[in-house]
Amino acid sequence: MIPSLNNVRLRDKMLLLYFLAVFLPILITNLIFYNVTSNNVKDQRISDITVALEQMKNEFRREVEDALEISSVFYTDHQLNEIMETVYDHPADYVEAYDSYLRRILNSGSAVYNAVGEITVYVDNPTLLYSGGINYIDEQVKQEAWYQQLLNHESSQPFVMRTGANGYGDTFSVIRNMNYFNSQNDYTQYLKIDMRMAAIRQIMSNLNVQGKIYLLNSKGEVDFTTDPGVHIMKDIIPYSRIEHDDKSMEFQTDTFITNNLNAWTIKAIVPQDVVMRDVQQSLQFVIVLTCLNFLLPTLVIIWISRSLSVRIVRILKHMKKVKNQNYDIIEDAETRDEIGQLSGEFNRMTLQLERLINDVYVADIQKKNLELQRRHAQLNALQSQINPHFLFNALETIRMRSLMKDEDETARIIHNMAKIFRNSLVWRKDMVTLKEEVEFIHCFLEIQKYRFGDKISYSVQSPEGGSWQIPKMAIVTFVENASIHGIEPLKHGGHIQVHIACEDQQQLVCRVEDNGVGMSMEQIEKIYRYLDTEDEMGERIGIQNVIYRLKLYYGSRFGFEIDSSPGEGTRVTLRIPIQ
């Protein structure tokens, strides 16, 4: 069953993705690549060393075979043998024979003779002049190692050995008994051809083999070496006695034989660091390649992870702010990816939530405030020393007696007074329909008409039906203000006009206009200040309290205007949103 990652943080998921999808595959791939590459490089280096040793073997064999071929030429040279066997009565005769033939063959400039070093013929003919490649076999020569070994060499085949002081010199020489022809005077002839040591050193110094080279004879003794710590000119040194570093590798050629007598083996001791140098370079290349392979995916993963985690953390922080009733939106949230869409939706949700809270929660608070104000008004009414029920009953009794006396007008006015009085004191509901408000206006104006007679006139225009809800006594208060403060002070009376209309099914426009005494600028400014203050309602229903209630219900959505001047009358315009 696959474990769930739902409880793992996004950053840890991205880290897990990085290790499983980037780090481990790149690491394993590069390890395999390094292993294969290092093995190939090591095998190639070993192959190069082996090929270089084979090249040394072939070139050394060629040097030896060139010297052997030249020895065969001298061995079968009849004229040379005849000159060496002749007894000369006078030295001039030998000089003539030497100049005519020996000088040419002993100092030849041909390619064959250039393949070897010095060529020397040893002979015991006392009538010869010994110079220019012709030496006499004296006691000193007889003491040399090559001469002693030649005496023990029964075959006529040539052999190769190191020559020099005590037989431990640094020169390879081909030694041969010149007994191909029967000697007439019983003279002994020996041939010694020194090989080119400079060419041999160059052969053994192959740049592809950066180590120590050992040329071993058939006895396992070192005949030549590039190891400066092995002194072959002082003693015969077996290869088995030479100690090597443990951190080195040994290479050798197959044993090869020259002239059916001499067997040779070339060995090379190469330090491991030389063999592994290319492998180390390969390791450095793999490390650099691995770092480059890690760099770009790592930067991309960090970039993407930061793009995700930072924005998600920002969304979480703003969610916690919303939890604490801080409705800040996320700045620069509109991007095209899923997190950007989530941020945009969060912003829209936050704004909508804020609006809903303002519309519902704040409205509920306002409703509760209105309820408190209504109860406060009820308490004020209850504190009145006149019992409302007693007044209602008394007014009803007066109205009934007026009807019995056929005083219909008086009965109607008393009825209107009772309605207004009841409406002022009973606050079970704070919202009334427009139709009910218009009835209150008619009741109030009829009472005023009854009181002042022809001194006051009025007209009321409103839409039919009138089922829209408006705050209770929102318009009646301004009608009362127009009658009491605008018309009553006039001696000749005046007119009140109430006009109510609906505009665009969005708001009610209510205009209360009179041609009374008007208002001064100070009075107008005082009323306008009610719009900016947050004073609570007083103990009586007046313009200040009406404006306060309208602010509670509608906030800044309702409109209020006053147009008045002293002696010119007053016009009040209310704009109430339709609910």
Side-chain angles (χ1 to χ4, degrees), residues 495-528:
H495 180 75
I496 297 175
Q497 181 179 354
V498 179
H499 183 271
I500 303 173
C502 176
E503 288 188 356
D504 302 328
Q505 295 296 322
Q506 294 184 355
Q507 63 180 357
L508 289 174
V509 180
C510 307
R511 290 186 179 89
V512 179
E513 188 173 357
D514 67 78
N515 57 355
V517 296
M519 300 171 63
S520 65
M521 184 59 63
E522 290 78 8
Q523 291 175 313
I524 296 175
E525 291 177 355
K526 180 180 178 181
I527 295 175
Y528 274 132

Side-chain angles (χ1 to χ4, degrees), residues 540-567:
R540 58 191 179 88
I541 303 300
I543 293 178
Q544 179 182 359
N545 287 345
V546 171
I547 293 176
Y548 178 78
R549 290 164 57 224
L550 290 173
K551 285 166 59 178
L552 286 177
Y553 277 112
Y554 304 111
S556 60
R557 292 181 295 160
F558 85 97
F560 176 73
E561 299 175 3
I562 297 179
D563 184 13
S564 179
S565 59

Side-chain angles (χ1 to χ4, degrees), residues 105-255:
I105 66 172
L106 293 177
N107 298 283
S108 175
S110 65
V112 175
Y113 294 96
N114 287 336
V116 297
E118 184 179 358
I119 301 175
T120 305
V121 178
Y122 292 88
V123 63
D124 58 357
N125 185 350
T127 62
L128 302 181
L129 295 177
Y130 296 101
S131 63
I134 304 297
N135 283 355
Y136 181 69
I137 304 176
D138 55 12
E139 290 300 323
Q140 183 179 357
V141 172
K142 291 180 180 180
Q143 296 300 321
E144 293 186 9
W146 66 267
Y147 185 85
Q148 296 295 326
Q149 186 170 345
L150 183 61
L151 294 179
N152 296 325
H153 187 67
E154 297 178 355
S155 173
S156 61
Q157 293 292 329
F159 62 91
V160 181
M161 66 174 292
R162 282 193 299 131
T163 60
N166 298 324
Y168 306 136
D170 61 347
T171 302
F172 284 101
S173 299
V174 175
I175 310 299
R176 189 164 194 170
N177 191 348
M178 302 282 285
N179 57 1
Y180 183 73
F181 300 98
N182 294 326
S183 176
Q184 299 176 357
N185 297 315
D186 199 21
Y187 291 139
T188 302
Q189 302 177 33
Y190 299 118
L191 177 65
K192 178 174 174 286
I193 301 177
D194 293 338
M195 299 174 60
R196 299 182 306 168
M197 292 309 298
I200 293 176
R201 291 189 185 94
Q202 185 177 1
I203 291 172
M204 298 300 176
S205 300
N206 194 310
L207 295 178
N208 287 328
V209 184
Q210 298 178 7
K212 302 172 183 177
I213 305 299
Y214 301 90
L215 177 64
L216 310 182
N217 57 29
S218 58
K219 297 180 182 180
E221 300 168 345
V222 179
D223 279 347
F224 180 87
T225 181
T226 59
D227 185 356
V230 178
H231 305 286
I232 59 176
M233 296 182 64
K234 296 181 179 180
D235 194 6
I236 297 175
I237 300 177
Y239 177 77
S240 59
R241 286 167 44 188
I242 301 175
E243 296 181 356
H244 303 295
D245 189 358
D246 293 337
K247 296 181 179 180
S248 60
M249 301 177 66
E250 183 180 85
F251 301 86
Q252 71 176 36
T253 63
D254 296 334
T255 302

Side-chain angles (χ1 to χ4, degrees), residues 385-398 421-422 425:
Q385 296 182 3
I386 301 176
N387 191 324
H389 293 285
F390 170 75
L391 292 176
F392 295 152
N393 294 334
L395 288 174
E396 183 64 18
T397 301
I398 295 172
F421 189 60
R422 183 184 297 274
L425 295 179

